[in-house]
Amino acid sequence: MLEGARMGFRTYKNFSIGRIEQSLRGVQKEFDSINRRLSLHREDLTDEIVDHILEAYRFLNGLMGKGVDLFSLAGLHSLLELNHIVLCGTDMRTRMEYHESVLMARRKYTARIGRIRDWVIRNRERGDPYRTASIFYASALSQPQLFVEGNHRTGNIVLNYLLVSRNEPPYVMEPETAVGYLEISGRIKFSDRTILPGKVALNSVHGRHFARFLRESADAKFMEEEE
C-alpha cells in the first residue's frame, strides 16, 4: 500500500469515466481535422483505442481505491498492466493472441523502469507537480522509450495519476487542446534521454513547454471529488 498515495488522494476520489469518454469521443469526431494540422500525422483514434483507454482508467480507479502505489515495487506490475490494457484491453483471449508482444513489452519495461522509478520516488512529493509529471512523461516517451508501444497513451494516464496524487487536476485530451498536446508529445518522442531519466525534460525547451501546457490545460471536471 502506498502511504504517499493515500495521503495524496485527499480531494479526488476517482477519474470520471463518463467525462473522459465524452472528451475522447469529441476528439475522435474531429480527429481528421486535428491530424491534418499536426507536423507528424498520427494513427486514427479508433473506437478500440478509446475503449482501451477507458478500461485503463477503470483499472486505475480500482488501484486508487485500494491505495496501490504504481511506483512501489508491488505497484510496478500494475503500471505495466496499464500498458497492456491500453494496447490489448482486458479480454484474456485477446491477451493470449498477443502473447509474444506482451512478453516483449515486459522485457523492455523491466530493463528501463528502474531509473525512472527511482527518480519519481525521490521527487514526487516535492516541487512543482506539473514539472514532476512532465518529467515522467518525457522520460517514458523519449528515446529509448519505456514501452514497446502505447507510450503516449500509457504515459498520459500515469502522469495524471502523479498529478492527482498531489491533488492537482489531470489532463485529458480535448478537441481544443489536442493539437498542442500531440505536437509537444511528438517533439519529446524524438528527443534523447541517454544520461538520466528526466534530464532532457529538466533542461529542454520541450520539457518546459509541456509542464506549462499541463498547468494551463488540466481540468478538474475529469475527476469525481470525495463527498
Side-chain angles (χ1 to χ4, degrees):
M1 180 175 294
L2 171 63
E3 181 181 349
R6 279 296 191 193
M7 293 173 64
F9 298 134
R10 292 188 295 270
T11 302
Y12 300 121
K13 181 180 179 182
N14 285 319
F15 287 92
S16 172
I17 304 301
R19 293 192 186 101
I20 292 173
E21 179 171 16
Q22 183 179 27
S23 184
L24 293 181
R25 298 296 181 196
V27 174
Q28 189 181 25
K29 189 176 180 180
E30 299 183 27
F31 197 72
D32 286 344
S33 172
I34 291 168
N35 215 8
R36 285 196 294 272
R37 296 160 60 192
L38 297 176
S39 303
L40 181 65
H41 292 172
R42 304 305 183 96
E43 63 178 315
D44 289 341
L45 187 60
T46 63
D47 285 341
E48 182 179 67
I49 288 175
V50 173
D51 290 345
H52 289 174
I53 292 173
L54 296 174
E55 285 187 68
Y57 274 111
R58 290 190 187 94
F59 178 71
L60 182 55
N61 277 345
L63 296 176
M64 289 167 56
K66 298 173 183 175
V68 174
D69 176 5
L70 287 183
F71 290 93
S72 68
L73 289 177
L76 292 180
H77 175 78
S78 296
L79 201 159
L80 176 61
E81 178 64 15
L82 277 172
N83 179 250
H84 292 335
I85 295 173
V86 160
L87 295 175
C88 305
T90 55
D91 186 295
M92 287 300 110
R93 291 171 298 182
T94 304
R95 192 72 64 90
M96 289 303 295
E97 290 177 14
Y98 292 95
H99 182 64
E100 288 301 319
S101 297
V102 168
L103 292 179
M104 187 184 302
R106 185 175 302 168
R107 287 194 292 270
K108 183 172 183 179
Y109 169 82
T110 301
R112 286 167 170 74
I113 188 60
R115 293 194 306 174
I116 295 175
R117 173 190 180 267
D118 291 346
W119 186 90
V120 170
I121 292 292
R122 287 197 305 272
N123 293 278
R124 64 181 174 180
E125 297 295 335
R126 62 187 185 188
D128 180 358
Y130 293 97
R131 181 173 175 273
T132 303
S134 70
I135 289 173
F136 164 78
Y137 184 72
S139 296
L141 190 58
S142 57
Q143 305 299 324
Q145 295 184 305
L146 179 57
F147 304 108
V148 175
E149 295 183 68
N151 286 279
H152 285 96
R153 286 164 273 164
T154 311
N156 188 178
I157 293 169
V158 177
L159 79 82
N160 282 337
Y161 164 83
L162 289 170
L163 287 174
V164 170
S165 70
R166 295 283 301 276
N167 293 313
E168 297 292 339
Y171 168 71
V172 175
M173 193 163 57
E174 299 183 82
E176 298 80 8
T177 62
V179 170
Y181 168 68
L182 293 172
E183 280 289 290
I184 299 174
S185 296
R187 290 193 287 270
I188 291 173
K189 179 179 179 180
F190 293 105
S191 60
D192 188 346
R193 59 167 178 87
T194 56
I195 302 175
L196 289 171
K199 185 76 172 180
V200 171
L202 276 169
N203 298 313
S204 73
V205 174
H206 305 329
R208 292 195 296 274
H209 282 178
F210 190 61
R212 184 167 66 244
F213 173 85
L214 285 180
R215 188 178 295 104
E216 294 172 350
S217 305
D219 197 322
K221 70 183 178 184
F222 296 111
M223 297 303 297
E224 296 172 348
E225 295 188 4
E226 292 278 11
E227 296 180 354

